Amino acid sequence: MGQTLSIAIDRTQWGKINILMVSLVWEKRAIPLSWSLLPKLGSSNITEQMNAIAEILPLLKDYQVVVLGDREFCRRRAG
């Protein structure tokens, strides 16, 4: 494995438009690699998140990848 790259996953909603985006973090900037319109309002689910990340991971197979996300992307444990 080579250089370490950071990717950020984020979701934003503008009125009735809900976008899930995966970006490459490079020199204090986020460069969009993939985005999709979600067919619903509100938070994304784990399946949508995994699909978004899985779409770009083959492009980064020669790198170690760190995935960054806010609390929407944390898996919660019961208890």
Side-chain angles (χ1 to χ4, degrees):
M1 288 264 164
Q3 178 183 359
T4 300
L5 296 178
S6 295
I7 60 172
I9 185 167
D10 195 23
R11 183 197 58 84
T12 190
Q13 184 173 315
W14 299 316
K16 294 185 179 184
I17 299 171
N18 200 10
I19 300 173
L20 182 62
M21 183 175 297
V22 179
S23 301
L24 173 66
V25 178
W26 189 261
E27 296 186 8
K28 299 182 183 182
R29 302 283 189 252
I31 302 165
L33 299 178
S34 172
W35 57 89
S36 59
L37 295 175
L38 298 177
K40 61 179 184 176
L41 298 180
S43 298
S44 60
N45 61 46
I46 189 69
T47 301
E48 293 162 335
Q49 296 164 12
M50 289 174 51
N51 288 342
I53 292 170
E55 185 177 311
I56 59 100
L57 282 180
L59 303 173
L60 307 175
K61 67 179 189 271
D62 295 331
Y63 301 91
Q64 293 181 31
V65 177
V66 175
V67 179
L68 307 169
D70 61 17
R71 64 182 176 189
E72 179 177 341
F73 304 98
C74 295
R75 293 189 67 177
R76 292 180 179 82
R77 296 183 183 179

